[in-house]
Amino acid sequence: MINSCSLRFAPVVCAVEEEYEILIATKTLGMVLVEIGDEIYHDTRAGICRAESNYFKIRVPQAALDAAKKYTVVFRPSLGKKSYFTKFGRHEPVTFSFRPVEKTENIRMYHVADVHGYFGNAQKTVSYFGDGVDLFVVNGDIFEYNTEEGYLDTLAFLAEIGEGRVPMIFSRGNHDTRGRLSERYPEFFPCVDGNSYYTVKVGPLRALVLDCGEDKPDKGPEYDNTEDVPEKYRGLNRFHEYRRAEARFLASLADKGEKFDFAVSHVCPNMTTFDKTSMFNIEADVYADWTASLEKMGIKFMLCGHYHKCFLLEKDDAHNIVPHAYPVVVASDVKENDFLGGAITYFPDRIDVAFTNMKHEIIEHHEISLA
């Protein structure tokens, strides 16, 4: 519950690179500022503050918010923007506490994916750690975006679980690429230079957020079925090029000697589907390049969803299409009356993984060595 008549729900604090991106939705049009200590941060477009909007993404330095452990959202309602002498209504400040990840071990993160709009069930599941949670990993297939309200529904879910005070890592899934307004994803969720893959630092951890895009070829009829247009003009998606740009991004990090603790990817780039259909048995060559870079950067494990199952994908698993040295934790199981996710406790030498359900029962437990 927030003490504000203007915010739709609590802010959402996502870790992006070495900053936090704070996502804020308001009930009416206006301008939003974030204040941390003596510094004020804005949402600008080419030097102009957004002042006729009801949704904002504001970047702040992690170091500043981690040190302050609180931030103030200031809303200034618009009275109608003009060329000169624009006026705003009374400003409304609301302060939120924030819990940075300060531990070096026993870091509790909850992994959730494949929500598919079942926000109530997912919310019950992700509350497994209660107030002891340090980090949420929200790993794709949250919704299909046909309306702006759909985006805001997802933000409301994130706000409900994080309460504006728990940091999150957020990634895109294949279903999030679908829908009439899916092309507007970068307007609402974390991206870097318009791309939904990027590095993350949160506390002592460094992670990579990856994005496989769709799980079918770009020219599949599911995405462009316009029979009276020549094939060379068809194709709603351009993930073939996107994945290769991502491969170059990973290679550049590896060439610089960058090191990361884990990777987050909705779809696992190392495996096919369980029935070995062609649904995602694509782009093995580029995923081999991804994997080579990930291993060069020393990632210890990967977190995935997509398959609607909870399991560990070991390096010698029969479902692998791209060999890998790191373990993959797939933690997402959507059932008719239940929802499973992954409660992951990180130590420098191991992770404890519990697959848990809506009743907070542990369905399966694993201890994975990271040595």
Side-chain angles (χ1 to χ4, degrees):
M1 193 72 179
I2 59 172
N3 182 23
S4 171
C5 61
S6 297
L7 301 186
R8 290 185 63 142
F9 33 72
V12 177
V13 183
C14 294
V16 181
E17 298 183 314
E18 296 192 10
E19 298 179 302
Y20 294 118
E21 190 161 85
I22 303 179
L23 314 179
I24 302 164
T26 60
K27 297 175 184 175
T28 58
L29 299 181
M31 180 165 64
V32 163
L33 320 171
V34 169
E35 188 171 9
I36 302 173
D38 295 330
E39 296 293 329
I40 295 177
Y41 304 90
H42 307 81
D43 184 347
T44 62
R45 297 294 184 273
I48 302 172
C49 287
R50 301 189 74 191
E52 288 285 316
S53 182
N54 60 2
Y55 185 71
F56 305 84
K57 297 167 60 178
I58 298 181
R59 288 283 194 101
V60 305
Q62 278 197 19
L65 184 50
D66 287 354
K69 295 184 174 61
K70 65 179 180 179
Y71 60 100
T72 299
V73 176
V74 181
F75 176 68
R76 301 182 63 202
S78 174
L79 300 181
K81 190 176 178 182
K82 303 177 182 178
S83 297
Y84 298 97
F85 308 111
T86 291
K87 292 184 180 293
F88 294 89
R90 288 180 60 87
H91 73 285
E92 180 186 321
V94 186
T95 298
F96 295 87
S97 62
F98 181 71
R99 287 206 322 254
V101 178
E102 296 181 310
K103 299 184 292 186
T104 57
E105 64 178 14
N106 195 32
I107 298 171
R108 296 175 173 179
M109 60 180 86
Y110 201 93
H111 173 276
V112 59
D114 301 292
V115 174
H116 294 293
Y118 294 104
F119 298 121
N121 289 353
Q123 184 181 332
K124 293 174 184 176
T125 299
V126 304
S127 62
Y128 175 81
F129 285 125
D131 286 340
V133 68
D134 298 301
L135 175 69
F136 287 108
V137 179
V138 183
N139 195 3
D141 275 14
I142 311 303
F143 220 45
E144 294 182 4
Y145 296 106
N146 291 293
T147 64
E148 287 191 0
E149 199 63 30
Y151 281 107
L152 295 175
D153 287 344
T154 294
L155 266 294
F157 163 70
L158 300 178
E160 191 70 30
I161 66 174
E163 300 177 330
R165 60 193 179 98
V166 180
M168 297 187 182
I169 295 175
F170 189 83
S171 77
R172 185 173 71 166
N174 55 294
H175 277 266
D176 304 310
T177 70
R178 301 173 188 170
R180 187 173 62 89
L181 298 187
S182 58
E183 66 202 56
R184 294 179 59 186
Y185 179 97
E187 296 178 30
F188 290 88
F189 298 127
C191 288
V192 174
D193 298 327
N195 295 317
S196 50
Y197 54 84
Y198 46 86
T199 67
V200 167
K201 178 185 177 299
V202 57
L205 301 174
R206 295 198 74 202
L208 287 160
V209 173
L210 308 179
D211 183 4
C212 290
E214 259 297 2
D215 62 356
K216 302 173 186 66
D218 286 350
K219 291 188 179 294
E222 297 89 349
Y223 312 119
D224 189 343
N225 197 27
T226 317
E227 296 181 358
D228 60 338
V229 172
E231 184 177 356
K232 69 176 182 178
Y233 298 122
R234 297 184 211 165
L236 176 66
N237 295 330
R238 289 294 181 268
F239 287 119
H240 179 76
E241 295 94 334
Y242 191 77
R243 296 182 188 106
R244 277 152 180 76
E246 200 164 346
R248 293 191 293 272
F249 165 74
L250 294 174
S252 70
L253 293 173
D255 290 344
K256 294 174 186 175
E258 300 275 7
K259 297 295 180 184
F260 294 88
D261 296 292
F262 65 99
V264 176
S265 179
H266 174 73
V267 179
C268 176
N270 299 103
M271 69 173 288
T272 183
T273 52
F274 282 92
D275 58 4
K276 294 198 173 184
T277 67
S278 61
M279 188 174 92
F280 194 68
N281 195 5
I282 59 174
E283 306 273 41
D285 56 341
V286 74
Y287 292 134
D289 291 341
W290 284 25
T291 301
S293 293
L294 293 173
E295 294 187 346
K296 188 175 180 180
M297 289 184 281
I299 72 158
K300 302 171 185 175
F301 61 97
M302 179 181 285
L303 300 177
C304 297
H306 185 64
Y307 303 94
H308 293 205
K309 294 178 182 290
C310 289
F311 62 96
L312 300 183
L313 182 74
E314 300 289 357
K315 60 183 180 181
D316 57 352
D317 194 286
H319 292 96
N320 285 319
I321 55 173
V322 176
H324 55 99
Y326 47 82
V328 178
V329 179
V330 180
S332 166
D333 195 353
V334 184
K335 299 180 181 296
E336 184 176 355
N337 297 308
D338 205 357
F339 191 96
L340 276 67
I344 299 160
T345 306
Y346 175 89
F347 298 88
D349 64 341
R350 72 183 191 280
I351 53 173
D352 291 336
V353 178
F355 300 136
T356 70
N357 64 12
M358 287 167 53
K359 296 179 180 178
H360 297 173
E361 298 167 331
I362 296 176
I363 306 304
E364 196 173 313
H365 177 265
H366 300 271
E367 184 175 298
I368 303 173
S369 173
L370 302 179

